[in-house]
PDB file of all heavy atoms in Angstrom:
ATOM      1  N   SER A   1     -47.318 -17.882  21.341  1.00  0.00           N
ATOM      2  CA  SER A   1     -47.599 -18.703  20.160  1.00  0.00           C
ATOM      3  C   SER A   1     -46.393 -19.604  19.858  1.00  0.00           C
ATOM      4  O   SER A   1     -45.270 -19.117  19.715  1.00  0.00           O
ATOM      5  CB  SER A   1     -47.895 -17.817  18.944  1.00  0.00           C
ATOM      6  OG  SER A   1     -49.020 -17.001  19.187  1.00  0.00           O
ATOM      7  N   VAL A   2     -46.637 -20.903  19.772  1.00  0.00           N
ATOM      8  CA  VAL A   2     -45.564 -21.873  19.476  1.00  0.00           C
ATOM      9  C   VAL A   2     -45.702 -22.309  18.025  1.00  0.00           C
ATOM     10  O   VAL A   2     -46.749 -22.811  17.612  1.00  0.00           O
ATOM     11  CB  VAL A   2     -45.619 -23.083  20.422  1.00  0.00           C
ATOM     12  CG1 VAL A   2     -44.526 -24.083  20.054  1.00  0.00           C
ATOM     13  CG2 VAL A   2     -45.508 -22.638  21.869  1.00  0.00           C
ATOM     14  N   ILE A   3     -44.649 -22.126  17.267  1.00  0.00           N
ATOM     15  CA  ILE A   3     -44.626 -22.500  15.845  1.00  0.00           C
ATOM     16  C   ILE A   3     -43.495 -23.519  15.630  1.00  0.00           C
ATOM     17  O   ILE A   3     -42.337 -23.247  15.951  1.00  0.00           O
ATOM     18  CB  ILE A   3     -44.412 -21.267  14.943  1.00  0.00           C
ATOM     19  CG1 ILE A   3     -45.542 -20.248  15.159  1.00  0.00           C
ATOM     20  CG2 ILE A   3     -44.340 -21.689  13.480  1.00  0.00           C
ATOM     21  CD1 ILE A   3     -45.338 -18.973  14.373  1.00  0.00           C
ATOM     22  N   GLU A   4     -43.851 -24.684  15.094  1.00  0.00           N
ATOM     23  CA  GLU A   4     -42.842 -25.711  14.779  1.00  0.00           C
ATOM     24  C   GLU A   4     -42.586 -25.686  13.283  1.00  0.00           C
ATOM     25  O   GLU A   4     -43.514 -25.732  12.470  1.00  0.00           O
ATOM     26  CB  GLU A   4     -43.323 -27.090  15.219  1.00  0.00           C
ATOM     27  CG  GLU A   4     -43.465 -27.223  16.733  1.00  0.00           C
ATOM     28  CD  GLU A   4     -43.742 -28.646  17.175  1.00  0.00           C
ATOM     29  OE1 GLU A   4     -42.807 -29.482  17.114  1.00  0.00           O
ATOM     30  OE2 GLU A   4     -44.888 -28.931  17.566  1.00  0.00           O
ATOM     31  N   GLU A   5     -41.337 -25.639  12.911  1.00  0.00           N
ATOM     32  CA  GLU A   5     -40.929 -25.509  11.510  1.00  0.00           C
ATOM     33  C   GLU A   5     -40.028 -26.690  11.119  1.00  0.00           C
ATOM     34  O   GLU A   5     -39.179 -27.127  11.905  1.00  0.00           O
ATOM     35  CB  GLU A   5     -40.169 -24.204  11.281  1.00  0.00           C
ATOM     36  CG  GLU A   5     -40.981 -22.959  11.656  1.00  0.00           C
ATOM     37  CD  GLU A   5     -40.141 -21.696  11.606  1.00  0.00           C
ATOM     38  OE1 GLU A   5     -38.904 -21.797  11.759  1.00  0.00           O
ATOM     39  OE2 GLU A   5     -40.728 -20.615  11.424  1.00  0.00           O
ATOM     40  N   GLY A   6     -40.213 -27.137   9.876  1.00  0.00           N
ATOM     41  CA  GLY A   6     -39.324 -28.188   9.348  1.00  0.00           C
ATOM     42  C   GLY A   6     -39.393 -29.472  10.136  1.00  0.00           C
ATOM     43  O   GLY A   6     -38.376 -29.996  10.588  1.00  0.00           O
ATOM     44  N   SER A   7     -40.598 -30.023  10.325  1.00  0.00           N
ATOM     45  CA  SER A   7     -40.746 -31.248  11.115  1.00  0.00           C
ATOM     46  C   SER A   7     -39.946 -32.378  10.486  1.00  0.00           C
ATOM     47  O   SER A   7     -40.030 -32.604   9.272  1.00  0.00           O
ATOM     48  CB  SER A   7     -42.228 -31.645  11.189  1.00  0.00           C
ATOM     49  OG  SER A   7     -42.969 -30.636  11.835  1.00  0.00           O
ATOM     50  N   PRO A   8     -39.188 -33.079  11.268  1.00  0.00           N
ATOM     51  CA  PRO A   8     -38.359 -34.160  10.715  1.00  0.00           C
ATOM     52  C   PRO A   8     -39.196 -35.360  10.325  1.00  0.00           C
ATOM     53  O   PRO A   8     -40.304 -35.539  10.806  1.00  0.00           O
ATOM     54  CB  PRO A   8     -37.419 -34.502  11.880  1.00  0.00           C
ATOM     55  CG  PRO A   8     -38.224 -34.166  13.095  1.00  0.00           C
ATOM     56  CD  PRO A   8     -39.049 -32.963  12.738  1.00  0.00           C
ATOM     57  N   THR A   9     -38.637 -36.173   9.432  1.00  0.00           N
ATOM     58  CA  THR A   9     -39.310 -37.413   9.071  1.00  0.00           C
ATOM     59  C   THR A   9     -39.177 -38.420  10.195  1.00  0.00           C
ATOM     60  O   THR A   9     -38.373 -38.258  11.119  1.00  0.00           O
ATOM     61  CB  THR A   9     -38.687 -37.996   7.782  1.00  0.00           C
ATOM     62  OG1 THR A   9     -37.319 -38.316   8.039  1.00  0.00           O
ATOM     63  CG2 THR A   9     -38.754 -36.987   6.648  1.00  0.00           C
ATOM     64  N   GLU A  10     -39.950 -39.489  10.097  1.00  0.00           N
ATOM     65  CA  GLU A  10     -39.921 -40.497  11.165  1.00  0.00           C
ATOM     66  C   GLU A  10     -38.579 -41.205  11.230  1.00  0.00           C
ATOM     67  O   GLU A  10     -38.253 -41.827  12.222  1.00  0.00           O
ATOM     68  CB  GLU A  10     -41.026 -41.526  10.923  1.00  0.00           C
ATOM     69  CG  GLU A  10     -42.433 -40.939  11.041  1.00  0.00           C
ATOM     70  CD  GLU A  10     -43.483 -42.003  10.822  1.00  0.00           C
ATOM     71  OE1 GLU A  10     -43.089 -43.148  10.530  1.00  0.00           O
ATOM     72  OE2 GLU A  10     -44.674 -41.686  10.944  1.00  0.00           O
ATOM     73  N   ALA A  11     -37.779 -41.120  10.154  1.00  0.00           N
ATOM     74  CA  ALA A  11     -36.485 -41.833  10.136  1.00  0.00           C
ATOM     75  C   ALA A  11     -35.465 -41.191  11.050  1.00  0.00           C
ATOM     76  O   ALA A  11     -34.465 -41.810  11.403  1.00  0.00           O
ATOM     77  CB  ALA A  11     -35.940 -41.898   8.716  1.00  0.00           C
ATOM     78  N   LEU A  12     -35.694 -39.918  11.424  1.00  0.00           N
ATOM     79  CA  LEU A  12     -34.703 -39.221  12.251  1.00  0.00           C
ATOM     80  C   LEU A  12     -34.960 -39.522  13.717  1.00  0.00           C
ATOM     81  O   LEU A  12     -35.615 -38.767  14.433  1.00  0.00           O
ATOM     82  CB  LEU A  12     -34.759 -37.710  11.976  1.00  0.00           C
ATOM     83  CG  LEU A  12     -34.378 -37.309  10.553  1.00  0.00           C
ATOM     84  CD1 LEU A  12     -34.428 -35.799  10.410  1.00  0.00           C
ATOM     85  CD2 LEU A  12     -32.990 -37.815  10.206  1.00  0.00           C
ATOM     86  N   ASN A  13     -34.451 -40.653  14.163  1.00  0.00           N
ATOM     87  CA  ASN A  13     -34.574 -41.065  15.551  1.00  0.00           C
ATOM     88  C   ASN A  13     -33.227 -40.898  16.247  1.00  0.00           C
ATOM     89  O   ASN A  13     -32.174 -40.838  15.614  1.00  0.00           O
ATOM     90  CB  ASN A  13     -35.033 -42.521  15.648  1.00  0.00           C
ATOM     91  CG  ASN A  13     -36.408 -42.731  15.049  1.00  0.00           C
ATOM     92  OD1 ASN A  13     -37.255 -41.839  15.101  1.00  0.00           O
ATOM     93  ND2 ASN A  13     -36.631 -43.898  14.466  1.00  0.00           N
ATOM     94  N   VAL A  14     -33.277 -40.839  17.567  1.00  0.00           N
ATOM     95  CA  VAL A  14     -32.055 -40.747  18.362  1.00  0.00           C
ATOM     96  C   VAL A  14     -32.052 -41.883  19.369  1.00  0.00           C
ATOM     97  O   VAL A  14     -33.093 -42.455  19.700  1.00  0.00           O
ATOM     98  CB  VAL A  14     -31.951 -39.381  19.103  1.00  0.00           C
ATOM     99  CG1 VAL A  14     -31.869 -38.245  18.114  1.00  0.00           C
ATOM    100  CG2 VAL A  14     -33.114 -39.196  20.052  1.00  0.00           C
ATOM    101  N   ARG A  15     -30.856 -42.221  19.851  1.00  0.00           N
ATOM    102  CA  ARG A  15     -30.718 -43.222  20.915  1.00  0.00           C
ATOM    103  C   ARG A  15     -30.209 -42.501  22.152  1.00  0.00           C
ATOM    104  O   ARG A  15     -29.116 -41.926  22.137  1.00  0.00           O
ATOM    105  CB  ARG A  15     -29.739 -44.318  20.508  1.00  0.00           C
ATOM    106  CG  ARG A  15     -29.390 -45.268  21.649  1.00  0.00           C
ATOM    107  CD  ARG A  15     -28.441 -46.357  21.211  1.00  0.00           C
ATOM    108  NE  ARG A  15     -29.119 -47.399  20.466  1.00  0.00           N
ATOM    109  CZ  ARG A  15     -28.487 -48.377  19.822  1.00  0.00           C
ATOM    110  NH1 ARG A  15     -27.172 -48.401  19.817  1.00  0.00           N
ATOM    111  NH2 ARG A  15     -29.163 -49.302  19.175  1.00  0.00           N
ATOM    112  N   ALA A  16     -30.994 -42.516  23.224  1.00  0.00           N
ATOM    113  CA  ALA A  16     -30.625 -41.770  24.428  1.00  0.00           C
ATOM    114  C   ALA A  16     -31.447 -42.271  25.599  1.00  0.00           C
ATOM    115  O   ALA A  16     -32.341 -43.117  25.463  1.00  0.00           O
ATOM    116  CB  ALA A  16     -30.852 -40.276  24.209  1.00  0.00           C
ATOM    117  N   ASP A  17     -31.110 -41.752  26.779  1.00  0.00           N
ATOM    118  CA  ASP A  17     -31.914 -41.964  27.976  1.00  0.00           C
ATOM    119  C   ASP A  17     -33.104 -41.009  27.885  1.00  0.00           C
ATOM    120  O   ASP A  17     -32.980 -39.815  28.135  1.00  0.00           O
ATOM    121  CB  ASP A  17     -31.070 -41.688  29.230  1.00  0.00           C
ATOM    122  CG  ASP A  17     -31.796 -42.075  30.512  1.00  0.00           C
ATOM    123  OD1 ASP A  17     -33.031 -41.918  30.552  1.00  0.00           O
ATOM    124  OD2 ASP A  17     -31.127 -42.475  31.474  1.00  0.00           O
ATOM    125  N   LYS A  18     -34.251 -41.535  27.519  1.00  0.00           N
ATOM    126  CA  LYS A  18     -35.403 -40.690  27.199  1.00  0.00           C
ATOM    127  C   LYS A  18     -35.839 -39.803  28.370  1.00  0.00           C
ATOM    128  O   LYS A  18     -36.089 -38.603  28.175  1.00  0.00           O
ATOM    129  CB  LYS A  18     -36.565 -41.561  26.713  1.00  0.00           C
ATOM    130  CG  LYS A  18     -37.723 -40.754  26.127  1.00  0.00           C
ATOM    131  CD  LYS A  18     -38.749 -41.687  25.505  1.00  0.00           C
ATOM    132  CE  LYS A  18     -39.875 -40.889  24.860  1.00  0.00           C
ATOM    133  NZ  LYS A  18     -40.886 -41.782  24.221  1.00  0.00           N
ATOM    134  N   PRO A  19     -35.963 -40.312  29.608  1.00  0.00           N
ATOM    135  CA  PRO A  19     -36.365 -39.432  30.719  1.00  0.00           C
ATOM    136  C   PRO A  19     -35.397 -38.270  30.931  1.00  0.00           C
ATOM    137  O   PRO A  19     -35.829 -37.141  31.195  1.00  0.00           O
ATOM    138  CB  PRO A  19     -36.408 -40.368  31.921  1.00  0.00           C
ATOM    139  CG  PRO A  19     -36.632 -41.724  31.339  1.00  0.00           C
ATOM    140  CD  PRO A  19     -35.904 -41.724  30.051  1.00  0.00           C
ATOM    141  N   LEU A  20     -34.079 -38.537  30.796  1.00  0.00           N
ATOM    142  CA  LEU A  20     -33.116 -37.451  30.983  1.00  0.00           C
ATOM    143  C   LEU A  20     -33.189 -36.443  29.843  1.00  0.00           C
ATOM    144  O   LEU A  20     -33.092 -35.224  30.076  1.00  0.00           O
ATOM    145  CB  LEU A  20     -31.691 -38.017  31.092  1.00  0.00           C
ATOM    146  CG  LEU A  20     -31.301 -38.625  32.441  1.00  0.00           C
ATOM    147  CD1 LEU A  20     -29.859 -39.113  32.398  1.00  0.00           C
ATOM    148  CD2 LEU A  20     -31.471 -37.622  33.564  1.00  0.00           C
ATOM    149  N   LEU A  21     -33.369 -36.940  28.609  1.00  0.00           N
ATOM    150  CA  LEU A  21     -33.479 -36.005  27.487  1.00  0.00           C
ATOM    151  C   LEU A  21     -34.744 -35.160  27.623  1.00  0.00           C
ATOM    152  O   LEU A  21     -34.750 -33.978  27.268  1.00  0.00           O
ATOM    153  CB  LEU A  21     -33.483 -36.766  26.170  1.00  0.00           C
ATOM    154  CG  LEU A  21     -33.488 -35.906  24.895  1.00  0.00           C
ATOM    155  CD1 LEU A  21     -32.293 -34.952  24.881  1.00  0.00           C
ATOM    156  CD2 LEU A  21     -33.503 -36.771  23.647  1.00  0.00           C
ATOM    157  N   ARG A  22     -35.819 -35.749  28.144  1.00  0.00           N
ATOM    158  CA  ARG A  22     -37.040 -34.980  28.385  1.00  0.00           C
ATOM    159  C   ARG A  22     -36.759 -33.839  29.369  1.00  0.00           C
ATOM    160  O   ARG A  22     -37.232 -32.706  29.187  1.00  0.00           O
ATOM    161  CB  ARG A  22     -38.137 -35.882  28.921  1.00  0.00           C
ATOM    162  CG  ARG A  22     -39.455 -35.136  29.181  1.00  0.00           C
ATOM    163  CD  ARG A  22     -40.469 -35.969  29.944  1.00  0.00           C
ATOM    164  NE  ARG A  22     -40.909 -37.122  29.170  1.00  0.00           N
ATOM    165  CZ  ARG A  22     -40.619 -38.368  29.461  1.00  0.00           C
ATOM    166  NH1 ARG A  22     -39.834 -38.641  30.507  1.00  0.00           N
ATOM    167  NH2 ARG A  22     -41.078 -39.359  28.728  1.00  0.00           N
ATOM    168  N   ILE A  23     -35.991 -34.134  30.420  1.00  0.00           N
ATOM    169  CA  ILE A  23     -35.661 -33.096  31.404  1.00  0.00           C
ATOM    170  C   ILE A  23     -34.826 -31.997  30.756  1.00  0.00           C
ATOM    171  O   ILE A  23     -35.034 -30.801  31.014  1.00  0.00           O
ATOM    172  CB  ILE A  23     -34.927 -33.731  32.592  1.00  0.00           C
ATOM    173  CG1 ILE A  23     -35.873 -34.646  33.376  1.00  0.00           C
ATOM    174  CG2 ILE A  23     -34.342 -32.657  33.508  1.00  0.00           C
ATOM    175  CD1 ILE A  23     -35.185 -35.466  34.435  1.00  0.00           C
ATOM    176  N   ALA A  24     -33.856 -32.399  29.900  1.00  0.00           N
ATOM    177  CA  ALA A  24     -33.018 -31.385  29.249  1.00  0.00           C
ATOM    178  C   ALA A  24     -33.863 -30.470  28.372  1.00  0.00           C
ATOM    179  O   ALA A  24     -33.721 -29.234  28.409  1.00  0.00           O
ATOM    180  CB  ALA A  24     -31.933 -32.087  28.420  1.00  0.00           C
ATOM    181  N   ILE A  25     -34.746 -31.069  27.556  1.00  0.00           N
ATOM    182  CA  ILE A  25     -35.607 -30.251  26.696  1.00  0.00           C
ATOM    183  C   ILE A  25     -36.573 -29.409  27.534  1.00  0.00           C
ATOM    184  O   ILE A  25     -36.859 -28.252  27.207  1.00  0.00           O
ATOM    185  CB  ILE A  25     -36.367 -31.158  25.704  1.00  0.00           C
ATOM    186  CG1 ILE A  25     -35.373 -31.823  24.753  1.00  0.00           C
ATOM    187  CG2 ILE A  25     -37.404 -30.368  24.916  1.00  0.00           C
ATOM    188  CD1 ILE A  25     -36.010 -32.810  23.788  1.00  0.00           C
ATOM    189  N   LEU A  26     -37.064 -29.981  28.633  1.00  0.00           N
ATOM    190  CA  LEU A  26     -37.957 -29.228  29.522  1.00  0.00           C
ATOM    191  C   LEU A  26     -37.255 -27.998  30.097  1.00  0.00           C
ATOM    192  O   LEU A  26     -37.826 -26.901  30.159  1.00  0.00           O
ATOM    193  CB  LEU A  26     -38.456 -30.145  30.643  1.00  0.00           C
ATOM    194  CG  LEU A  26     -39.314 -29.486  31.733  1.00  0.00           C
ATOM    195  CD1 LEU A  26     -40.587 -28.906  31.128  1.00  0.00           C
ATOM    196  CD2 LEU A  26     -39.641 -30.490  32.829  1.00  0.00           C
ATOM    197  N   ASN A  27     -35.997 -28.176  30.508  1.00  0.00           N
ATOM    198  CA  ASN A  27     -35.256 -27.040  31.063  1.00  0.00           C
ATOM    199  C   ASN A  27     -35.053 -25.943  30.015  1.00  0.00           C
ATOM    200  O   ASN A  27     -35.198 -24.754  30.308  1.00  0.00           O
ATOM    201  CB  ASN A  27     -33.898 -27.504  31.598  1.00  0.00           C
ATOM    202  CG  ASN A  27     -34.026 -28.306  32.877  1.00  0.00           C
ATOM    203  OD1 ASN A  27     -35.081 -28.298  33.526  1.00  0.00           O
ATOM    204  ND2 ASN A  27     -32.966 -29.012  33.249  1.00  0.00           N
ATOM    205  N   VAL A  28     -34.721 -26.351  28.770  1.00  0.00           N
ATOM    206  CA  VAL A  28     -34.500 -25.363  27.710  1.00  0.00           C
ATOM    207  C   VAL A  28     -35.816 -24.646  27.375  1.00  0.00           C
ATOM    208  O   VAL A  28     -35.866 -23.401  27.273  1.00  0.00           O
ATOM    209  CB  VAL A  28     -33.905 -26.048  26.460  1.00  0.00           C
ATOM    210  CG1 VAL A  28     -33.850 -25.080  25.290  1.00  0.00           C
ATOM    211  CG2 VAL A  28     -32.512 -26.586  26.763  1.00  0.00           C
ATOM    212  N   LEU A  29     -36.890 -25.412  27.211  1.00  0.00           N
ATOM    213  CA  LEU A  29     -38.172 -24.799  26.877  1.00  0.00           C
ATOM    214  C   LEU A  29     -38.718 -23.946  28.017  1.00  0.00           C
ATOM    215  O   LEU A  29     -39.317 -22.886  27.789  1.00  0.00           O
ATOM    216  CB  LEU A  29     -39.183 -25.892  26.507  1.00  0.00           C
ATOM    217  CG  LEU A  29     -39.216 -26.330  25.042  1.00  0.00           C
ATOM    218  CD1 LEU A  29     -40.161 -27.504  24.842  1.00  0.00           C
ATOM    219  CD2 LEU A  29     -39.599 -25.181  24.137  1.00  0.00           C
ATOM    220  N   HIS A  30     -38.518 -24.401  29.248  1.00  0.00           N
ATOM    221  CA  HIS A  30     -38.993 -23.620  30.385  1.00  0.00           C
ATOM    222  C   HIS A  30     -38.272 -22.278  30.447  1.00  0.00           C
ATOM    223  O   HIS A  30     -38.889 -21.225  30.733  1.00  0.00           O
ATOM    224  CB  HIS A  30     -38.776 -24.396  31.684  1.00  0.00           C
ATOM    225  CG  HIS A  30     -39.312 -23.707  32.892  1.00  0.00           C
ATOM    226  ND1 HIS A  30     -38.545 -22.897  33.703  1.00  0.00           N
ATOM    227  CD2 HIS A  30     -40.566 -23.674  33.418  1.00  0.00           C
ATOM    228  CE1 HIS A  30     -39.278 -22.418  34.682  1.00  0.00           C
ATOM    229  NE2 HIS A  30     -40.522 -22.870  34.540  1.00  0.00           N
ATOM    230  N   ASN A  31     -36.955 -22.280  30.173  1.00  0.00           N
ATOM    231  CA  ASN A  31     -36.217 -21.017  30.124  1.00  0.00           C
ATOM    232  C   ASN A  31     -36.755 -20.118  29.021  1.00  0.00           C
ATOM    233  O   ASN A  31     -36.929 -18.907  29.201  1.00  0.00           O
ATOM    234  CB  ASN A  31     -34.724 -21.289  29.886  1.00  0.00           C
ATOM    235  CG  ASN A  31     -33.952 -21.405  31.178  1.00  0.00           C
ATOM    236  OD1 ASN A  31     -34.549 -21.444  32.253  1.00  0.00           O
ATOM    237  ND2 ASN A  31     -32.639 -21.488  31.083  1.00  0.00           N
ATOM    238  N   ALA A  32     -37.012 -20.731  27.839  1.00  0.00           N
ATOM    239  CA  ALA A  32     -37.500 -19.935  26.711  1.00  0.00           C
ATOM    240  C   ALA A  32     -38.855 -19.309  27.022  1.00  0.00           C
ATOM    241  O   ALA A  32     -39.107 -18.133  26.718  1.00  0.00           O
ATOM    242  CB  ALA A  32     -37.591 -20.812  25.461  1.00  0.00           C
ATOM    243  N   VAL A  33     -39.744 -20.099  27.648  1.00  0.00           N
ATOM    244  CA  VAL A  33     -41.064 -19.575  28.001  1.00  0.00           C
ATOM    245  C   VAL A  33     -40.954 -18.527  29.107  1.00  0.00           C
ATOM    246  O   VAL A  33     -41.626 -17.478  29.076  1.00  0.00           O
ATOM    247  CB  VAL A  33     -41.996 -20.725  28.412  1.00  0.00           C
ATOM    248  CG1 VAL A  33     -43.309 -20.180  28.975  1.00  0.00           C
ATOM    249  CG2 VAL A  33     -42.264 -21.651  27.227  1.00  0.00           C
ATOM    250  N   LYS A  34     -40.087 -18.785  30.064  1.00  0.00           N
ATOM    251  CA  LYS A  34     -39.958 -17.875  31.210  1.00  0.00           C
ATOM    252  C   LYS A  34     -39.460 -16.502  30.777  1.00  0.00           C
ATOM    253  O   LYS A  34     -39.904 -15.476  31.300  1.00  0.00           O
ATOM    254  CB  LYS A  34     -39.004 -18.497  32.241  1.00  0.00           C
ATOM    255  CG  LYS A  34     -38.807 -17.650  33.483  1.00  0.00           C
ATOM    256  CD  LYS A  34     -38.024 -18.412  34.558  1.00  0.00           C
ATOM    257  CE  LYS A  34     -36.658 -18.815  34.093  1.00  0.00           C
ATOM    258  NZ  LYS A  34     -35.857 -19.442  35.183  1.00  0.00           N
ATOM    259  N   PHE A  35     -38.541 -16.476  29.830  1.00  0.00           N
ATOM    260  CA  PHE A  35     -37.972 -15.185  29.409  1.00  0.00           C
ATOM    261  C   PHE A  35     -38.727 -14.568  28.229  1.00  0.00           C
ATOM    262  O   PHE A  35     -38.387 -13.480  27.775  1.00  0.00           O
ATOM    263  CB  PHE A  35     -36.499 -15.356  29.045  1.00  0.00           C
ATOM    264  CG  PHE A  35     -35.617 -15.599  30.234  1.00  0.00           C
ATOM    265  CD1 PHE A  35     -35.132 -16.860  30.502  1.00  0.00           C
ATOM    266  CD2 PHE A  35     -35.281 -14.555  31.093  1.00  0.00           C
ATOM    267  CE1 PHE A  35     -34.319 -17.090  31.601  1.00  0.00           C
ATOM    268  CE2 PHE A  35     -34.465 -14.780  32.193  1.00  0.00           C
ATOM    269  CZ  PHE A  35     -33.989 -16.053  32.459  1.00  0.00           C
ATOM    270  N   SER A  36     -39.740 -15.261  27.691  1.00  0.00           N
ATOM    271  CA  SER A  36     -40.498 -14.717  26.563  1.00  0.00           C
ATOM    272  C   SER A  36     -41.533 -13.701  27.078  1.00  0.00           C
ATOM    273  O   SER A  36     -42.239 -13.960  28.073  1.00  0.00           O
ATOM    274  CB  SER A  36     -41.221 -15.832  25.808  1.00  0.00           C
ATOM    275  OG  SER A  36     -40.302 -16.685  25.164  1.00  0.00           O
ATOM    276  N   PRO A  37     -41.651 -12.560  26.444  1.00  0.00           N
ATOM    277  CA  PRO A  37     -42.669 -11.582  26.852  1.00  0.00           C
ATOM    278  C   PRO A  37     -44.079 -12.076  26.493  1.00  0.00           C
ATOM    279  O   PRO A  37     -44.247 -12.941  25.636  1.00  0.00           O
ATOM    280  CB  PRO A  37     -42.291 -10.336  26.069  1.00  0.00           C
ATOM    281  CG  PRO A  37     -41.531 -10.829  24.895  1.00  0.00           C
ATOM    282  CD  PRO A  37     -40.820 -12.069  25.340  1.00  0.00           C
ATOM    283  N   THR A  38     -45.058 -11.527  27.164  1.00  0.00           N
ATOM    284  CA  THR A  38     -46.452 -11.895  26.911  1.00  0.00           C
ATOM    285  C   THR A  38     -46.832 -11.572  25.473  1.00  0.00           C
ATOM    286  O   THR A  38     -46.525 -10.498  24.941  1.00  0.00           O
ATOM    287  CB  THR A  38     -47.375 -11.147  27.878  1.00  0.00           C
ATOM    288  OG1 THR A  38     -46.988 -11.464  29.220  1.00  0.00           O
ATOM    289  CG2 THR A  38     -48.834 -11.539  27.660  1.00  0.00           C
ATOM    290  N   GLY A  39     -47.516 -12.525  24.842  1.00  0.00           N
ATOM    291  CA  GLY A  39     -47.968 -12.336  23.473  1.00  0.00           C
ATOM    292  C   GLY A  39     -46.897 -12.524  22.423  1.00  0.00           C
ATOM    293  O   GLY A  39     -47.134 -12.190  21.249  1.00  0.00           O
ATOM    294  N   SER A  40     -45.737 -13.072  22.773  1.00  0.00           N
ATOM    295  CA  SER A  40     -44.645 -13.264  21.816  1.00  0.00           C
ATOM    296  C   SER A  40     -44.758 -14.617  21.129  1.00  0.00           C
ATOM    297  O   SER A  40     -45.700 -15.383  21.358  1.00  0.00           O
ATOM    298  CB  SER A  40     -43.286 -13.154  22.526  1.00  0.00           C
ATOM    299  OG  SER A  40     -43.173 -14.172  23.501  1.00  0.00           O
ATOM    300  N   THR A  41     -43.794 -14.894  20.270  1.00  0.00           N
ATOM    301  CA  THR A  41     -43.789 -16.145  19.499  1.00  0.00           C
ATOM    302  C   THR A  41     -42.551 -16.975  19.849  1.00  0.00           C
ATOM    303  O   THR A  41     -41.434 -16.445  19.936  1.00  0.00           O
ATOM    304  CB  THR A  41     -43.806 -15.852  17.985  1.00  0.00           C
ATOM    305  OG1 THR A  41     -44.992 -15.104  17.662  1.00  0.00           O
ATOM    306  CG2 THR A  41     -43.795 -17.146  17.176  1.00  0.00           C
ATOM    307  N   LEU A  42     -42.747 -18.268  20.027  1.00  0.00           N
ATOM    308  CA  LEU A  42     -41.643 -19.209  20.278  1.00  0.00           C
ATOM    309  C   LEU A  42     -41.573 -20.157  19.084  1.00  0.00           C
ATOM    310  O   LEU A  42     -42.524 -20.895  18.798  1.00  0.00           O
ATOM    311  CB  LEU A  42     -41.884 -20.004  21.573  1.00  0.00           C
ATOM    312  CG  LEU A  42     -40.888 -21.134  21.866  1.00  0.00           C
ATOM    313  CD1 LEU A  42     -39.472 -20.597  22.019  1.00  0.00           C
ATOM    314  CD2 LEU A  42     -41.314 -21.894  23.126  1.00  0.00           C
TER     315      LEU A  42
END
């Protein structure tokens, strides 16, 4: 189960290389999912 808390407003933008930041977030989330037990909450 994925729960998102405290969604930011549209004003909170960042300036970055978007494809690379996507890879960084993908690596972090993939680790979190990989090590999460079945039926747990992220």
Side-chain angles (χ1 to χ4, degrees):
S1 300
V2 178
I3 300 176
E4 295 188 72
E5 302 172 335
S7 298
T9 63
E10 294 181 357
L12 296 182
N13 297 328
V14 297
R15 171 179 282 171
D17 188 326
K18 190 173 183 179
L20 281 181
L21 184 57
R22 181 190 295 111
I23 292 171
I25 295 176
L26 175 61
N27 288 345
V28 172
L29 272 175
H30 184 266
N31 268 9
V33 172
K34 181 171 61 175
F35 289 104
S36 293
T38 302
S40 62
T41 300
L42 173 61

